[in-house]
PDB file of all heavy atoms in Angstrom:
ATOM      1  N   MET A   1      20.830  10.562   8.425  1.00  0.00           N
ATOM      2  CA  MET A   1      22.168  10.834   8.859  1.00  0.00           C
ATOM      3  C   MET A   1      22.977  11.365   7.697  1.00  0.00           C
ATOM      4  O   MET A   1      22.779  10.961   6.576  1.00  0.00           O
ATOM      5  CB  MET A   1      22.808   9.549   9.357  1.00  0.00           C
ATOM      6  CG  MET A   1      22.365   9.178  10.709  1.00  0.00           C
ATOM      7  SD  MET A   1      23.153   7.657  11.167  1.00  0.00           S
ATOM      8  CE  MET A   1      21.789   6.984  12.030  1.00  0.00           C
ATOM      9  N   LYS A   2      23.901  12.207   8.013  1.00  0.00           N
ATOM     10  CA  LYS A   2      24.723  12.760   6.955  1.00  0.00           C
ATOM     11  C   LYS A   2      26.174  12.746   7.412  1.00  0.00           C
ATOM     12  O   LYS A   2      26.498  13.212   8.494  1.00  0.00           O
ATOM     13  CB  LYS A   2      24.273  14.173   6.632  1.00  0.00           C
ATOM     14  CG  LYS A   2      24.857  14.714   5.372  1.00  0.00           C
ATOM     15  CD  LYS A   2      24.224  16.027   5.014  1.00  0.00           C
ATOM     16  CE  LYS A   2      24.746  16.473   3.670  1.00  0.00           C
ATOM     17  NZ  LYS A   2      24.125  17.671   3.217  1.00  0.00           N
ATOM     18  N   SER A   3      27.012  12.154   6.595  1.00  0.00           N
ATOM     19  CA  SER A   3      28.441  12.170   6.849  1.00  0.00           C
ATOM     20  C   SER A   3      29.161  12.057   5.523  1.00  0.00           C
ATOM     21  O   SER A   3      28.615  11.551   4.561  1.00  0.00           O
ATOM     22  CB  SER A   3      28.839  11.029   7.784  1.00  0.00           C
ATOM     23  OG  SER A   3      28.580   9.791   7.174  1.00  0.00           O
ATOM     24  N   ASP A   4      30.343  12.510   5.464  1.00  0.00           N
ATOM     25  CA  ASP A   4      31.202  12.466   4.277  1.00  0.00           C
ATOM     26  C   ASP A   4      30.490  12.883   2.989  1.00  0.00           C
ATOM     27  O   ASP A   4      30.773  12.362   1.914  1.00  0.00           O
ATOM     28  CB  ASP A   4      31.883  11.113   4.123  1.00  0.00           C
ATOM     29  CG  ASP A   4      30.927   9.932   3.906  1.00  0.00           C
ATOM     30  OD1 ASP A   4      29.841  10.119   3.325  1.00  0.00           O
ATOM     31  OD2 ASP A   4      31.284   8.826   4.313  1.00  0.00           O
ATOM     32  N   GLY A   5      29.534  13.796   3.102  1.00  0.00           N
ATOM     33  CA  GLY A   5      28.854  14.302   1.926  1.00  0.00           C
ATOM     34  C   GLY A   5      27.753  13.424   1.383  1.00  0.00           C
ATOM     35  O   GLY A   5      27.123  13.760   0.401  1.00  0.00           O
ATOM     36  N   HIS A   6      27.497  12.276   1.993  1.00  0.00           N
ATOM     37  CA  HIS A   6      26.461  11.361   1.534  1.00  0.00           C
ATOM     38  C   HIS A   6      25.348  11.275   2.569  1.00  0.00           C
ATOM     39  O   HIS A   6      25.579  11.389   3.761  1.00  0.00           O
ATOM     40  CB  HIS A   6      27.041   9.954   1.310  1.00  0.00           C
ATOM     41  CG  HIS A   6      28.034   9.896   0.209  1.00  0.00           C
ATOM     42  ND1 HIS A   6      29.383  10.034   0.423  1.00  0.00           N
ATOM     43  CD2 HIS A   6      27.873   9.725  -1.119  1.00  0.00           C
ATOM     44  CE1 HIS A   6      30.015   9.940  -0.724  1.00  0.00           C
ATOM     45  NE2 HIS A   6      29.124   9.763  -1.684  1.00  0.00           N
ATOM     46  N   ILE A   7      24.157  11.057   2.094  1.00  0.00           N
ATOM     47  CA  ILE A   7      23.024  10.873   2.987  1.00  0.00           C
ATOM     48  C   ILE A   7      22.836   9.377   3.196  1.00  0.00           C
ATOM     49  O   ILE A   7      22.713   8.618   2.243  1.00  0.00           O
ATOM     50  CB  ILE A   7      21.748  11.503   2.409  1.00  0.00           C
ATOM     51  CG1 ILE A   7      21.918  13.008   2.306  1.00  0.00           C
ATOM     52  CG2 ILE A   7      20.542  11.154   3.260  1.00  0.00           C
ATOM     53  CD1 ILE A   7      20.778  13.724   1.619  1.00  0.00           C
ATOM     54  N   HIS A   8      22.838   8.965   4.443  1.00  0.00           N
ATOM     55  CA  HIS A   8      22.637   7.563   4.793  1.00  0.00           C
ATOM     56  C   HIS A   8      21.274   7.436   5.462  1.00  0.00           C
ATOM     57  O   HIS A   8      21.032   8.036   6.494  1.00  0.00           O
ATOM     58  CB  HIS A   8      23.732   7.066   5.739  1.00  0.00           C
ATOM     59  CG  HIS A   8      25.106   7.195   5.161  1.00  0.00           C
ATOM     60  ND1 HIS A   8      25.625   6.294   4.264  1.00  0.00           N
ATOM     61  CD2 HIS A   8      26.063   8.132   5.336  1.00  0.00           C
ATOM     62  CE1 HIS A   8      26.843   6.665   3.921  1.00  0.00           C
ATOM     63  NE2 HIS A   8      27.132   7.778   4.552  1.00  0.00           N
ATOM     64  N   LEU A   9      20.394   6.655   4.875  1.00  0.00           N
ATOM     65  CA  LEU A   9      19.051   6.529   5.417  1.00  0.00           C
ATOM     66  C   LEU A   9      18.983   5.549   6.571  1.00  0.00           C
ATOM     67  O   LEU A   9      18.074   5.616   7.378  1.00  0.00           O
ATOM     68  CB  LEU A   9      18.081   6.116   4.301  1.00  0.00           C
ATOM     69  CG  LEU A   9      17.977   7.103   3.138  1.00  0.00           C
ATOM     70  CD1 LEU A   9      17.040   6.560   2.070  1.00  0.00           C
ATOM     71  CD2 LEU A   9      17.497   8.456   3.622  1.00  0.00           C
ATOM     72  N   GLU A  10      19.920   4.630   6.641  1.00  0.00           N
ATOM     73  CA  GLU A  10      19.910   3.642   7.710  1.00  0.00           C
ATOM     74  C   GLU A  10      21.164   3.825   8.555  1.00  0.00           C
ATOM     75  O   GLU A  10      22.235   4.079   8.026  1.00  0.00           O
ATOM     76  CB  GLU A  10      19.891   2.227   7.135  1.00  0.00           C
ATOM     77  CG  GLU A  10      18.637   1.936   6.349  1.00  0.00           C
ATOM     78  CD  GLU A  10      18.641   0.533   5.768  1.00  0.00           C
ATOM     79  OE1 GLU A  10      19.528  -0.268   6.112  1.00  0.00           O
ATOM     80  OE2 GLU A  10      17.755   0.247   4.973  1.00  0.00           O
ATOM     81  N   PRO A  11      21.018   3.667   9.871  1.00  0.00           N
ATOM     82  CA  PRO A  11      22.212   3.783  10.726  1.00  0.00           C
ATOM     83  C   PRO A  11      23.121   2.577  10.526  1.00  0.00           C
ATOM     84  O   PRO A  11      22.684   1.508  10.117  1.00  0.00           O
ATOM     85  CB  PRO A  11      21.627   3.792  12.138  1.00  0.00           C
ATOM     86  CG  PRO A  11      20.320   3.117  12.016  1.00  0.00           C
ATOM     87  CD  PRO A  11      19.819   3.412  10.636  1.00  0.00           C
ATOM     88  N   LYS A  12      24.385   2.756  10.818  1.00  0.00           N
ATOM     89  CA  LYS A  12      25.336   1.653  10.761  1.00  0.00           C
ATOM     90  C   LYS A  12      25.054   0.721  11.936  1.00  0.00           C
ATOM     91  O   LYS A  12      24.538   1.136  12.978  1.00  0.00           O
ATOM     92  CB  LYS A  12      26.760   2.175  10.825  1.00  0.00           C
ATOM     93  CG  LYS A  12      27.117   3.004   9.601  1.00  0.00           C
ATOM     94  CD  LYS A  12      28.527   3.497   9.659  1.00  0.00           C
ATOM     95  CE  LYS A  12      28.811   4.311   8.413  1.00  0.00           C
ATOM     96  NZ  LYS A  12      30.179   4.761   8.352  1.00  0.00           N
ATOM     97  N   ILE A  13      25.411  -0.540  11.775  1.00  0.00           N
ATOM     98  CA  ILE A  13      25.098  -1.543  12.786  1.00  0.00           C
ATOM     99  C   ILE A  13      25.755  -1.208  14.130  1.00  0.00           C
ATOM    100  O   ILE A  13      25.148  -1.412  15.180  1.00  0.00           O
ATOM    101  CB  ILE A  13      25.460  -2.964  12.300  1.00  0.00           C
ATOM    102  CG1 ILE A  13      24.787  -4.018  13.157  1.00  0.00           C
ATOM    103  CG2 ILE A  13      26.944  -3.185  12.264  1.00  0.00           C
ATOM    104  CD1 ILE A  13      23.324  -4.154  12.930  1.00  0.00           C
ATOM    105  N   ASP A  14      26.955  -0.657  14.111  1.00  0.00           N
ATOM    106  CA  ASP A  14      27.603  -0.307  15.374  1.00  0.00           C
ATOM    107  C   ASP A  14      26.873   0.834  16.082  1.00  0.00           C
ATOM    108  O   ASP A  14      26.869   0.903  17.319  1.00  0.00           O
ATOM    109  CB  ASP A  14      29.087   0.000  15.188  1.00  0.00           C
ATOM    110  CG  ASP A  14      29.354   1.157  14.243  1.00  0.00           C
ATOM    111  OD1 ASP A  14      28.570   1.354  13.304  1.00  0.00           O
ATOM    112  OD2 ASP A  14      30.370   1.846  14.439  1.00  0.00           O
ATOM    113  N   GLU A  15      26.220   1.702  15.308  1.00  0.00           N
ATOM    114  CA  GLU A  15      25.407   2.760  15.910  1.00  0.00           C
ATOM    115  C   GLU A  15      24.170   2.161  16.579  1.00  0.00           C
ATOM    116  O   GLU A  15      23.769   2.585  17.661  1.00  0.00           O
ATOM    117  CB  GLU A  15      24.983   3.785  14.866  1.00  0.00           C
ATOM    118  CG  GLU A  15      26.128   4.600  14.314  1.00  0.00           C
ATOM    119  CD  GLU A  15      25.718   5.490  13.150  1.00  0.00           C
ATOM    120  OE1 GLU A  15      24.656   5.248  12.544  1.00  0.00           O
ATOM    121  OE2 GLU A  15      26.476   6.421  12.848  1.00  0.00           O
ATOM    122  N   ILE A  16      23.576   1.175  15.930  1.00  0.00           N
ATOM    123  CA  ILE A  16      22.403   0.508  16.500  1.00  0.00           C
ATOM    124  C   ILE A  16      22.792  -0.217  17.780  1.00  0.00           C
ATOM    125  O   ILE A  16      22.103  -0.124  18.801  1.00  0.00           O
ATOM    126  CB  ILE A  16      21.780  -0.470  15.490  1.00  0.00           C
ATOM    127  CG1 ILE A  16      21.215   0.298  14.294  1.00  0.00           C
ATOM    128  CG2 ILE A  16      20.704  -1.328  16.144  1.00  0.00           C
ATOM    129  CD1 ILE A  16      20.786  -0.572  13.147  1.00  0.00           C
ATOM    130  N   PHE A  17      23.916  -0.937  17.728  1.00  0.00           N
ATOM    131  CA  PHE A  17      24.349  -1.729  18.883  1.00  0.00           C
ATOM    132  C   PHE A  17      24.751  -0.862  20.075  1.00  0.00           C
ATOM    133  O   PHE A  17      24.838  -1.359  21.187  1.00  0.00           O
ATOM    134  CB  PHE A  17      25.504  -2.642  18.501  1.00  0.00           C
ATOM    135  CG  PHE A  17      25.098  -3.840  17.673  1.00  0.00           C
ATOM    136  CD1 PHE A  17      26.054  -4.606  17.057  1.00  0.00           C
ATOM    137  CD2 PHE A  17      23.773  -4.197  17.504  1.00  0.00           C
ATOM    138  CE1 PHE A  17      25.708  -5.721  16.300  1.00  0.00           C
ATOM    139  CE2 PHE A  17      23.405  -5.301  16.742  1.00  0.00           C
ATOM    140  CZ  PHE A  17      24.375  -6.066  16.148  1.00  0.00           C
ATOM    141  N   SER A  18      24.986   0.420  19.867  1.00  0.00           N
ATOM    142  CA  SER A  18      25.332   1.293  20.982  1.00  0.00           C
ATOM    143  C   SER A  18      24.162   2.185  21.402  1.00  0.00           C
ATOM    144  O   SER A  18      24.299   2.987  22.330  1.00  0.00           O
ATOM    145  CB  SER A  18      26.550   2.147  20.627  1.00  0.00           C
ATOM    146  OG  SER A  18      26.256   3.015  19.559  1.00  0.00           O
ATOM    147  N   ASP A  19      23.023   2.025  20.745  1.00  0.00           N
ATOM    148  CA  ASP A  19      21.853   2.839  21.071  1.00  0.00           C
ATOM    149  C   ASP A  19      21.222   2.372  22.382  1.00  0.00           C
ATOM    150  O   ASP A  19      20.891   1.190  22.523  1.00  0.00           O
ATOM    151  CB  ASP A  19      20.821   2.725  19.942  1.00  0.00           C
ATOM    152  CG  ASP A  19      19.582   3.545  20.240  1.00  0.00           C
ATOM    153  OD1 ASP A  19      19.661   4.777  20.123  1.00  0.00           O
ATOM    154  OD2 ASP A  19      18.561   2.943  20.612  1.00  0.00           O
ATOM    155  N   PRO A  20      21.064   3.258  23.354  1.00  0.00           N
ATOM    156  CA  PRO A  20      20.533   2.855  24.662  1.00  0.00           C
ATOM    157  C   PRO A  20      19.117   2.271  24.604  1.00  0.00           C
ATOM    158  O   PRO A  20      18.791   1.356  25.373  1.00  0.00           O
ATOM    159  CB  PRO A  20      20.555   4.132  25.495  1.00  0.00           C
ATOM    160  CG  PRO A  20      21.151   5.191  24.660  1.00  0.00           C
ATOM    161  CD  PRO A  20      21.430   4.658  23.304  1.00  0.00           C
ATOM    162  N   ILE A  21      18.289   2.751  23.713  1.00  0.00           N
ATOM    163  CA  ILE A  21      16.926   2.219  23.600  1.00  0.00           C
ATOM    164  C   ILE A  21      16.974   0.803  23.035  1.00  0.00           C
ATOM    165  O   ILE A  21      16.298  -0.103  23.537  1.00  0.00           O
ATOM    166  CB  ILE A  21      16.037   3.149  22.751  1.00  0.00           C
ATOM    167  CG1 ILE A  21      15.872   4.480  23.474  1.00  0.00           C
ATOM    168  CG2 ILE A  21      14.690   2.484  22.456  1.00  0.00           C
ATOM    169  CD1 ILE A  21      15.168   5.549  22.684  1.00  0.00           C
ATOM    170  N   PHE A  22      17.778   0.587  22.001  1.00  0.00           N
ATOM    171  CA  PHE A  22      17.940  -0.755  21.434  1.00  0.00           C
ATOM    172  C   PHE A  22      18.449  -1.714  22.510  1.00  0.00           C
ATOM    173  O   PHE A  22      17.934  -2.828  22.655  1.00  0.00           O
ATOM    174  CB  PHE A  22      18.908  -0.702  20.251  1.00  0.00           C
ATOM    175  CG  PHE A  22      19.203  -2.036  19.647  1.00  0.00           C
ATOM    176  CD1 PHE A  22      18.291  -2.653  18.815  1.00  0.00           C
ATOM    177  CD2 PHE A  22      20.406  -2.683  19.908  1.00  0.00           C
ATOM    178  CE1 PHE A  22      18.555  -3.901  18.249  1.00  0.00           C
ATOM    179  CE2 PHE A  22      20.684  -3.919  19.345  1.00  0.00           C
ATOM    180  CZ  PHE A  22      19.761  -4.529  18.522  1.00  0.00           C
ATOM    181  N   LEU A  23      19.441  -1.286  23.271  1.00  0.00           N
ATOM    182  CA  LEU A  23      20.003  -2.139  24.322  1.00  0.00           C
ATOM    183  C   LEU A  23      18.971  -2.428  25.406  1.00  0.00           C
ATOM    184  O   LEU A  23      18.905  -3.555  25.920  1.00  0.00           O
ATOM    185  CB  LEU A  23      21.248  -1.483  24.915  1.00  0.00           C
ATOM    186  CG  LEU A  23      22.421  -1.326  23.950  1.00  0.00           C
ATOM    187  CD1 LEU A  23      23.537  -0.509  24.588  1.00  0.00           C
ATOM    188  CD2 LEU A  23      22.926  -2.675  23.469  1.00  0.00           C
ATOM    189  N   ALA A  24      18.141  -1.455  25.733  1.00  0.00           N
ATOM    190  CA  ALA A  24      17.097  -1.664  26.743  1.00  0.00           C
ATOM    191  C   ALA A  24      16.054  -2.671  26.259  1.00  0.00           C
ATOM    192  O   ALA A  24      15.589  -3.515  27.026  1.00  0.00           O
ATOM    193  CB  ALA A  24      16.433  -0.331  27.094  1.00  0.00           C
ATOM    194  N   VAL A  25      15.702  -2.602  24.986  1.00  0.00           N
ATOM    195  CA  VAL A  25      14.737  -3.547  24.424  1.00  0.00           C
ATOM    196  C   VAL A  25      15.325  -4.957  24.419  1.00  0.00           C
ATOM    197  O   VAL A  25      14.650  -5.924  24.762  1.00  0.00           O
ATOM    198  CB  VAL A  25      14.282  -3.112  23.008  1.00  0.00           C
ATOM    199  CG1 VAL A  25      13.472  -4.192  22.332  1.00  0.00           C
ATOM    200  CG2 VAL A  25      13.489  -1.815  23.091  1.00  0.00           C
ATOM    201  N   LEU A  26      16.596  -5.076  24.034  1.00  0.00           N
ATOM    202  CA  LEU A  26      17.248  -6.390  24.079  1.00  0.00           C
ATOM    203  C   LEU A  26      17.206  -6.961  25.497  1.00  0.00           C
ATOM    204  O   LEU A  26      16.847  -8.121  25.697  1.00  0.00           O
ATOM    205  CB  LEU A  26      18.713  -6.293  23.629  1.00  0.00           C
ATOM    206  CG  LEU A  26      19.001  -6.155  22.155  1.00  0.00           C
ATOM    207  CD1 LEU A  26      20.514  -6.106  21.923  1.00  0.00           C
ATOM    208  CD2 LEU A  26      18.396  -7.284  21.353  1.00  0.00           C
ATOM    209  N   LYS A  27      17.568  -6.140  26.468  1.00  0.00           N
ATOM    210  CA  LYS A  27      17.591  -6.588  27.859  1.00  0.00           C
ATOM    211  C   LYS A  27      16.195  -7.008  28.312  1.00  0.00           C
ATOM    212  O   LYS A  27      16.020  -8.052  28.944  1.00  0.00           O
ATOM    213  CB  LYS A  27      18.132  -5.471  28.761  1.00  0.00           C
ATOM    214  CG  LYS A  27      18.285  -5.876  30.192  1.00  0.00           C
ATOM    215  CD  LYS A  27      18.909  -4.762  31.012  1.00  0.00           C
ATOM    216  CE  LYS A  27      19.068  -5.195  32.451  1.00  0.00           C
ATOM    217  NZ  LYS A  27      19.678  -4.141  33.259  1.00  0.00           N
ATOM    218  N   ARG A  28      15.197  -6.211  27.971  1.00  0.00           N
ATOM    219  CA  ARG A  28      13.823  -6.535  28.342  1.00  0.00           C
ATOM    220  C   ARG A  28      13.397  -7.886  27.780  1.00  0.00           C
ATOM    221  O   ARG A  28      12.710  -8.663  28.434  1.00  0.00           O
ATOM    222  CB  ARG A  28      12.876  -5.444  27.835  1.00  0.00           C
ATOM    223  CG  ARG A  28      11.411  -5.713  28.162  1.00  0.00           C
ATOM    224  CD  ARG A  28      10.454  -5.001  27.259  1.00  0.00           C
ATOM    225  NE  ARG A  28      10.580  -5.512  25.899  1.00  0.00           N
ATOM    226  CZ  ARG A  28      10.058  -4.919  24.844  1.00  0.00           C
ATOM    227  NH1 ARG A  28       9.398  -3.786  24.967  1.00  0.00           N
ATOM    228  NH2 ARG A  28      10.199  -5.431  23.644  1.00  0.00           N
ATOM    229  N   ASP A  29      13.851  -8.159  26.550  1.00  0.00           N
ATOM    230  CA  ASP A  29      13.464  -9.386  25.868  1.00  0.00           C
ATOM    231  C   ASP A  29      14.382 -10.568  26.187  1.00  0.00           C
ATOM    232  O   ASP A  29      14.186 -11.664  25.661  1.00  0.00           O
ATOM    233  CB  ASP A  29      13.428  -9.163  24.360  1.00  0.00           C
ATOM    234  CG  ASP A  29      12.313  -8.216  23.940  1.00  0.00           C
ATOM    235  OD1 ASP A  29      11.401  -7.962  24.750  1.00  0.00           O
ATOM    236  OD2 ASP A  29      12.349  -7.740  22.795  1.00  0.00           O
TER     237      ASP A  29
END
């Protein structure tokens, strides 16, 4: 990911918590 001129290798936690695949896995489990 790239924002504000910096390269971020890991997504922010709020991005993870809004990811549909992550949410589907949580629901499944």
Side-chain angles (χ1 to χ4, degrees):
M1 282 179 217
K2 192 172 185 176
S3 64
D4 63 30
H6 295 93
I7 296 174
H8 301 280
L9 299 177
E10 296 179 9
K12 294 181 180 183
I13 196 73
D14 60 328
E15 292 173 342
I16 294 170
F17 285 168
S18 64
D19 180 75
I21 295 173
F22 177 77
L23 295 173
V25 170
L26 284 181
K27 184 176 181 180
R28 179 203 65 193
D29 293 345

